[in-house]
């Protein structure tokens, strides 16, 4: 994990002896404009900074990064103008976050920068700067480019208590996202159920959470047929990890569940070879709920959080479960396996039933569950399903934090497509249309009535297979950690 040091500063940005000064630009009516808070920078360029930027082709668009040699106009030898795009009055936090991220990616290899983006939105500038620097270098045998070492965030007063607290929260949040990215990016020969469980427990113990790990014997004794079925084909047996943040006077109890398939070959219903390596990310839901539970403890959120995390490797072998098998899930429901590649819903079913036994006020699960999510909503928009009020509340929050989810229905008529010829339910629907929704309907069968519940399908958003953009590099993105953290904060505030 690599995140830069972030510091508050109230010193002059034009005289600071740093490698670069980062300023924000926006798309105005007639060309680029400087974000408010850059008046003295513009003055140091004799009021001609926008003219200079125009000559260099600046438009102020999102993901536009323009480098200007300053020739001693200011203390830093380099000025970076990073675009936010079009703004309606105030820029959104996400516009600031992405602009800070794009600038900090462009600064890799330098040691120290300063920015005025924090004058517009300190938290967003801090999170974006930190996440844009993220690199995963654990598996390089030689040293490549180092990320930006330190970003100074310009604020009116560096001693301001509120600003200091906001920065500490932003740093903790960015570190949680970076840890989720690390877990997702760790290859499946090193991250398998037992080693994943160990990592979850070390992270949790360091933050003072209670932990519990069920191994394959415990799972058998207690009847976790979904997890054991899916994990049965691997030489690396499955686990169920439970992490508990228990504050003294909690406002509410929230259960988190995350899909932890450390590698998804598809099993006997094996996947095609092309892009199969991407299935190293099939534990992104698990990573997100683990780091969110840890973050809740670090931030001392007055909400009880219990993460229930099934971990298994979906492999084809002589011991693998088969299409045609019937599994008896935790709690007794029977499932006919039509396709062993629809494994996520099987491990989640066990975990959802277990999570409900804790009598939570809210239940949230997240999973890289269906290719159909990507077909429906693309690579950057999570599908959000569940009980309508809570679903809509979580959807609004996902948009506010810039992770951008969209509410999706759970149509009742899809349930009969899951009828099984011999068991209570089949793991795959008869028709392939609406695959994301069918998976959600399957999960809903394992959620106890009366619990406000949300399911986030993050198959696309959890893993960036395209070019870097904003504060998101290649590989694990850390979605939906910031949504989950903001939902917990919202519940702490409003119940
Ligand atoms: N892990 C996959 C879903 C996935 C696909 C995540 C692409 C990220 C990118 C999941 O286990 C899966 O294989 N789902 C099947 C379900 C089908 C067999 C009903 C799918 O979506 O094809
Ligand atoms: Mn699968
Ligand atoms: Zn999967």
């Amino acid at each position: 994990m690599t995140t830069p040091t972030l510091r508050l500063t109230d010193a002059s940005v034009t005289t600071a002896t740093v490698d670069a000064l980062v300023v924000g630009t926006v798309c105005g009516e007639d060309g680029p404009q400087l974000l408010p808070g850059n008046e003295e920078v513009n003055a140091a360029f004799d009021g001609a900074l926008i003219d200079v930027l125009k000559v260099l082709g600046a438009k102020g668009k999102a993901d536009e990064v323009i480098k200007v040699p300053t020739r001693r106009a200011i203390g830093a030898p380099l000025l970076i103008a990073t675009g936010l795009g079009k703004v309606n009055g105030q820029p959104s936090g996400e516009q600031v976050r992405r602009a800070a991220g794009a600038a900090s990616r462009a600064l890799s290899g330098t040691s120290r920068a300063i920015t005025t983006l924090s004058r517009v939105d300190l938290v967003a500038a801090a999170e974006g700067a930190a996440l844009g620097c993220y690199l995963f270098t654990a598996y390089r045998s030689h040293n490549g480019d180092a990320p930006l070492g330190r970003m100074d965030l310009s604020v009116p007063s560096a001693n301001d208590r509120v600003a200091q607290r906001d920065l500490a929260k932003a740093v903790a949040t960015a570190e949680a996202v970076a840890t989720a990215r690390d877990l997702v990016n760790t290859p499946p020969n090193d991250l398998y159920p037992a080693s994943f469980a160990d990592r979850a427990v070390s992270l949790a113990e360091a933050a003072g959470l209670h932990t519990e790990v069920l191994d394959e014997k415990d799972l058998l004794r207690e009847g976790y047929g979904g997890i054991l079925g899916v994990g049965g084909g691997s030489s690396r047996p499955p686990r169920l990890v439970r992490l508990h943040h228990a504050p003294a006077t909690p406002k509410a109890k929230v259960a988190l569940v995350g899909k932890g398939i450390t590698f998804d070959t598809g099993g006997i219903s094996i996947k095609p070879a092309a892009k199969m390596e991407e299935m190293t990310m099939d534990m992104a839901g698990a990573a997100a709920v683990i780091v969110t539970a840890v973050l809740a403890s670090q931030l001392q959120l007055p909400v009880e959080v219990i993460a229930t995390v099934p971990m298994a490797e979906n492999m084809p072998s002589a011991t693998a479960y088969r299409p045609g098998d019937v599994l008896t899930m935790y709690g007794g429901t029977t499932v006919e396996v039509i396709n062993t590649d629809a494994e996520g819903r099987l491990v989640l079913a066990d975990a959802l039933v277990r999570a409900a036994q804790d009598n939570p006020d809210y239940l949230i699960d997240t999973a890289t569950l269906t290719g159909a999510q990507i077909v429906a909503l693309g690579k950057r928009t999570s599908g959000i399903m569940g009980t309508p009020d809570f679903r809509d509340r979580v959807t609004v929050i996902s948009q506010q934090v810039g992770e951008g989810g969209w509410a999706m229905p759970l149509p009742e008529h899809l349930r009969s497509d899951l009828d099984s010829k011999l068991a209570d339910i089949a793991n795959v629907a008869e028709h392939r249309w609406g695959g994301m929704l069918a998976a959600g309907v399957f999960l809903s069968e394992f959620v106890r009535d009366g619990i406000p519940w949300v399911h986030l399908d993050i198959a696309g958003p959890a893993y960036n297979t395209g070019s870097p953009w904003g504060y998101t590099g290649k590989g694990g993105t850390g979605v939906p950690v910031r949504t989950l953290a903001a939902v917990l904060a919202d519940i702490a505030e409003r119940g």
Side-chain angles (χ1 to χ4, degrees):
M1 168 164 78
T2 46
T3 48
T5 306
L6 299 177
R7 293 240 168 87
L8 298 177
T9 179
D10 48 22
S12 155
V13 297
T14 51
T15 56
T17 49
V18 292
D19 301 310
L21 167 62
V22 176
V23 303
T25 55
V26 300
C27 278
E29 294 271 298
D30 3 73
Q33 287 170 6
L34 290 172
L35 259 193
N38 291 303
E39 293 71 22
E40 82 270 35
V41 183
N42 192 28
F45 281 82
D46 302 326
L49 183 51
I50 279 297
D51 294 334
V52 172
L53 291 172
K54 276 185 181 161
V55 170
L56 292 166
K59 300 275 188 291
K61 291 184 300 189
D63 269 305
E64 172 186 281
V65 172
I66 307 273
K67 295 186 174 183
V68 184
T70 65
R71 305 277 310 192
R72 296 200 179 77
I74 58 174
L78 173 68
L79 177 134
I80 288 197
T82 183
L84 279 77
K86 286 205 183 88
V87 299
N88 273 326
Q90 269 285 104
S92 70
E94 181 64 5
Q95 286 180 302
V96 174
R97 199 178 286 108
R98 287 185 193 176
S104 94
R105 277 193 291 111
L107 282 165
S108 104
T110 48
S111 59
R112 193 175 154 198
I114 190 167
T115 185
T116 54
L117 286 167
S118 43
R119 294 176 176 181
V120 173
D121 188 330
L122 171 61
V123 169
E127 287 178 352
L131 291 173
C133 288
Y134 175 87
L135 290 175
F136 186 68
T137 54
Y139 289 82
R140 299 256 188 238
S141 64
H142 51 86
N143 296 331
D145 240 1
L148 171 66
R150 168 171 159 185
M151 180 74 93
D152 293 343
L153 301 154
S154 174
V155 289
S157 164
N159 294 322
D160 183 72
R161 283 288 160 80
V162 176
Q164 289 172 348
R165 203 201 51 209
D166 283 353
L167 178 62
K169 220 177 109 184
V171 168
T173 304
E175 279 174 357
V177 173
T179 303
R181 290 179 177 182
D182 280 352
L183 289 168
V184 171
N185 290 334
T186 301
N189 53 334
D190 282 343
L191 193 94
Y192 46 90
S195 67
F196 191 13
D198 286 347
R199 288 206 198 188
V201 166
S202 345
L203 289 165
E205 281 179 349
L209 290 91
H210 306 282
T211 67
E212 179 192 8
V213 178
L214 278 67
D215 67 13
E216 66 273 30
K217 291 190 207 82
D218 303 321
L219 292 168
L220 187 63
R221 192 180 55 246
E222 297 185 24
Y224 286 91
I227 300 171
L228 287 168
V230 172
S234 174
S235 59
R236 292 138 159 189
R239 295 286 183 266
L240 181 68
V241 171
R242 306 240 312 147
L243 309 178
H244 192 175
H245 163 57
T249 48
K251 299 260 169 56
K253 191 193 287 183
V254 181
L256 300 177
V257 169
K259 171 179 172 181
I261 299 298
T262 59
F263 194 73
D264 181 14
T265 64
I268 295 295
S269 316
I270 198 162
K271 288 181 181 294
K275 300 282 159 80
M276 197 202 275
E277 73 282 3
E278 291 176 5
M279 286 302 123
T280 179
M281 51 68 91
D282 213 15
M283 34 55 70
V289 305
I290 290 165
V291 304
T292 301
V294 169
L295 181 63
S297 171
Q298 289 168 340
L299 298 178
Q300 299 181 312
L301 276 186
V303 177
E304 186 174 354
V305 180
I306 308 178
T308 301
V309 195
M311 299 172 176
E313 185 178 48
N314 189 18
M315 296 288 276
S317 79
T319 59
Y321 75 139
R322 292 156 286 257
D325 282 359
V326 173
L327 305 176
T328 301
M329 316 301 274
Y330 186 71
T333 301
T334 58
V335 179
E336 179 189 6
V337 178
I338 301 295
N339 187 320
T340 63
D341 198 11
E343 84 298 339
R345 60 196 77 181
L346 299 173
V347 300
L348 290 172
D350 276 357
L352 288 167
V353 174
R354 176 65 189 87
Q357 288 179 335
D358 298 323
N359 291 314
D361 300 305
Y362 298 96
L363 171 55
I364 310 176
D365 81 74
T366 183
T368 48
L369 202 59
T370 65
Q373 178 277 317
I374 307 177
V375 175
L377 294 172
K379 286 288 298 175
R380 297 190 191 176
T381 305
S382 304
I384 307 189
M385 289 144 274
T387 51
D389 290 346
F390 190 41
R391 173 200 67 200
D392 290 346
R393 181 173 172 188
V394 171
T395 301
V396 167
I397 292 172
S398 79
Q399 293 168 5
Q400 281 166 352
V401 303
E403 288 187 335
W406 200 255
M408 284 291 178
L410 293 174
E412 267 174 42
H413 65 262
L414 289 181
R415 175 59 186 85
S416 56
D417 282 8
L418 291 163
D419 284 347
S420 161
K421 59 187 174 296
L422 77 167
D424 298 336
I425 191 169
N427 80 328
V428 166
E430 190 182 342
H431 304 99
R432 68 189 186 90
W433 313 118
M436 168 173 52
L437 317 184
V441 168
F442 179 92
L443 294 182
S444 73
E445 289 284 312
F446 296 88
V447 176
R448 202 204 310 133
D449 281 348
I451 305 179
W453 161 65
V454 154
H455 160 60
L456 295 109
D457 193 334
I458 54 165
Y463 198 71
N464 181 19
T465 49
S467 306
W469 55 284
Y471 53 85
T472 301
K474 281 184 174 295
T477 62
V479 172
V481 173
R482 290 187 305 105
T483 297
L484 297 179
V487 169
L488 294 180
D490 193 53
I491 290 171
E493 208 168 291
R494 306 199 294 134

